[in-house]
Amino acid sequence: MRTNWASATAIALLLCLSSAAHAEEVTAWRLFISDHAEPKVTVIDAVDGGKLDTFRIKGPASLHRSESGRTVFAVQGAAGVVTGIASGISFEDHGEHGDIDVEAPKLAGVEIAGGKPSHFVEHNGDFAAFFDGEGAARIISEKAVLEGKSDFREMKTDAPQHGVAVAYGSYVLLSEPNREKPDELPVGIRVADEAGAQVGGFHACPDLHGEASSGNVLAFACATGLLVVTHGDGTPAIRHLPYPHSLLHGKTTTLTGGRGLQYFLGNFGADKVVLIDPTVESDAFRLISLPTRRVHFAVDPVRAKFAYVFTEDGQLHQLDVVKGEIANSLKLTDPYSMDGHWSDPRPRVAVAGDRIVVTDPLRGVLHLVDATSFEKTGDIAVEGKPFNIVSVGGSGQTHEGE
């Protein structure tokens, strides 16, 4: 059969033009907020401020969102369970544009139970929940969660510990407990294969606490510096990045990874943060002093040069990570003293598109800040004590009839 290529091309062009004509640009952002006291997660439409749903869970939770944004996880340490939530927002990349699919958020029907779940880490679509009370990690894929299947695999360490695990391709990075003092922080990392057998040597990391990814680099925080993990020749390559002598009086225990720019932001003492460049050996650490003690910090995934730090005097600070200095400050809340218990209700920060959102648990509101002007634009009331927060969303096209 002969094909009329001119006619075929014309038809294809008409179909493309028709599809483009019926495409609609949609922006959707959702905020998932856990309560400090009640076992619930509230979902707020960050665009119009309306409440979409409230999910009852088993205990107060810390929240973690996936890299794709398709799932959110509520880690309920006291209740001994991790609950999966489908965010209802997903994206499909078509090269020249991306499509967005927006549905109602819902409980995914997946719960992973165990003793004292704590650190929860994603790497390439696999999630590792570490259960301190058992010294065990349970690993599940995002695909399984979205299908409502609790299909996890388990990796055990030698003893209960406040530990961490990372699924890294066909390997798992596992924290090593302090055998002499089991109640203290882990002392390093070992690499295990799919059968649980150790691969390579032990990687020392005293007082291991805090981990994050930035681009293709994973890091663990230690009392002596960072363990930096990259893709090696077949197995993960792990090197130690030591603190310089000027930073010997302190350590990082909380890390978050930059988006768009490759760096890590960590705490360093009560009233300082540190910027870390994992790609260099010298001058990798830049210390930044804060006006008062730090409460929480987050990076901006859209405006890569900025991160945000909330301090106990009620101020939100815009941190220029390129210059290594505070660019702007904005008073948002009454003071939230860092005296008292570490888990007392205090503000948390998230970024939802062009908005920075700060929880104010004692007033029961979310404060909204324009990320461009760095000015407050409004509040959203949330029942109870809104505490931990994550955001999910973005912009994309929808097509009529799909």
Side-chain angles (χ1 to χ4, degrees):
M1 180 180 70
R2 294 182 62 187
T3 302
N4 186 327
W5 292 109
S7 298
T9 302
I11 292 171
L13 180 60
L14 286 171
L15 288 172
C16 288
L17 291 173
S18 176
S19 175
H22 289 88
E24 179 184 359
E25 188 75 14
V26 171
T27 296
W29 282 96
R30 288 172 178 173
L31 304 170
F32 292 76
I33 306 109
S34 65
D35 191 87
H36 186 267
E38 293 188 47
K40 66 178 182 178
V41 176
T42 301
V43 189
I44 299 291
D45 187 322
V47 177
D48 63 20
K51 186 173 82 169
L52 296 174
D53 212 332
T54 298
F55 301 120
R56 305 302 299 189
I57 51 179
K58 291 183 168 61
S62 60
L63 299 177
H64 303 263
R65 57 151 287 176
S66 67
E67 285 293 321
S68 74
R70 299 184 69 186
T71 50
V72 173
F73 294 86
V75 179
Q76 302 143 74
V81 67
V82 178
T83 301
I85 302 170
S87 74
I89 296 179
S90 61
F91 297 90
E92 186 174 352
D93 183 13
H94 290 287
E96 75 283 355
H97 74 276
D99 286 352
I100 186 173
D101 185 44
V102 181
E103 301 176 346
K106 64 180 181 180
L107 292 172
V110 172
E111 290 188 337
I112 306 174
K116 296 181 180 179
S118 58
H119 285 216
F120 187 89
V121 183
E122 177 188 4
H123 191 264
N124 287 342
D126 287 323
F127 309 100
F130 197 90
F131 293 84
D132 291 359
E134 306 172 37
R138 297 189 174 101
I139 300 165
I140 192 168
S141 70
E142 183 166 50
K143 181 176 183 292
V145 173
L146 290 170
E147 291 174 351
K149 300 176 181 177
S150 298
D151 295 340
F152 63 83
R153 57 191 175 105
E154 185 175 85
M155 283 283 184
K156 291 187 176 181
T157 64
D158 292 339
Q161 56 172 309
H162 183 45
V164 65
V166 181
Y168 202 89
S170 59
Y171 300 94
V172 178
L173 309 179
L174 292 164
S175 58
E176 184 72 9
N178 188 325
R179 298 175 187 275
E180 296 180 359
K181 300 178 180 179
D183 292 337
E184 295 192 359
L185 291 172
V187 295
I189 289 290
R190 66 179 178 90
V191 181
D193 63 17
E194 290 180 322
Q198 183 167 327
V199 177
F202 169 74
H203 304 275
C205 181
D207 292 351
L208 189 159
H209 191 278
E211 77 293 316
S213 292
S214 180
N216 62 352
V217 177
L218 169 70
F220 297 94
C222 322
T224 55
L226 299 188
L227 285 186
V228 178
V229 185
T230 55
H231 294 284
D233 186 12
T235 59
I238 303 177
R239 67 181 176 91
H240 183 248
L241 180 63
Y243 295 132
H245 290 294
S246 59
L247 293 184
L248 290 181
H249 302 292
K251 64 179 181 179
T252 292
T253 58
T254 301
L255 280 176
T256 188
R259 303 283 294 274
L261 294 175
Q262 194 166 68
Y263 71 94
F264 294 98
L265 177 63
N267 64 324
F268 205 90
D271 61 353
K272 297 177 179 65
V273 291
V274 63
L275 291 166
I276 307 163
D277 184 346
T279 65
V280 299
E281 293 293 337
S282 61
D283 298 325
F285 299 83
R286 285 187 293 169
L287 201 61
I288 300 168
S289 294
L290 304 171
T292 56
R293 290 177 291 186
R294 163 200 45 80
V295 175
H296 190 243
F297 53 84
V299 303
D300 193 324
V302 179
R303 291 150 290 273
K305 68 176 289 188
F306 292 122
Y308 307 101
V309 184
F310 189 87
T311 50
E312 65 177 347
D313 57 359
Q315 290 196 89
L316 179 68
H317 306 279
Q318 182 190 58
L319 179 64
D320 186 321
V321 302
V322 177
K323 295 180 178 179
E325 62 185 29
I326 293 174
N328 291 290
S329 298
L330 178 65
K331 177 75 171 178
L332 283 182
T333 74
D334 292 333
Y336 274 87
S337 173
M338 289 301 290
D339 291 332
H341 197 275
W342 66 268
S343 65
D344 285 345
R346 298 184 181 96
R348 297 291 185 263
V349 183
V351 181
D354 292 330
R355 284 177 169 175
I356 309 159
V357 187
V358 179
T359 63
D360 193 344
L362 297 185
R363 287 189 55 202
V365 298
L366 310 177
H367 299 294
L368 307 178
V369 177
D370 183 272
T372 302
S373 65
F374 206 67
E375 296 177 351
K376 184 177 176 180
T377 57
D379 293 327
I380 299 175
V382 178
E383 294 180 0
K385 294 183 177 181
F387 184 41
N388 280 283
I389 182 171
V390 295
S391 67
V392 171
S395 298
Q397 292 185 357
T398 60
H399 299 276
E400 185 179 323
E402 291 186 3

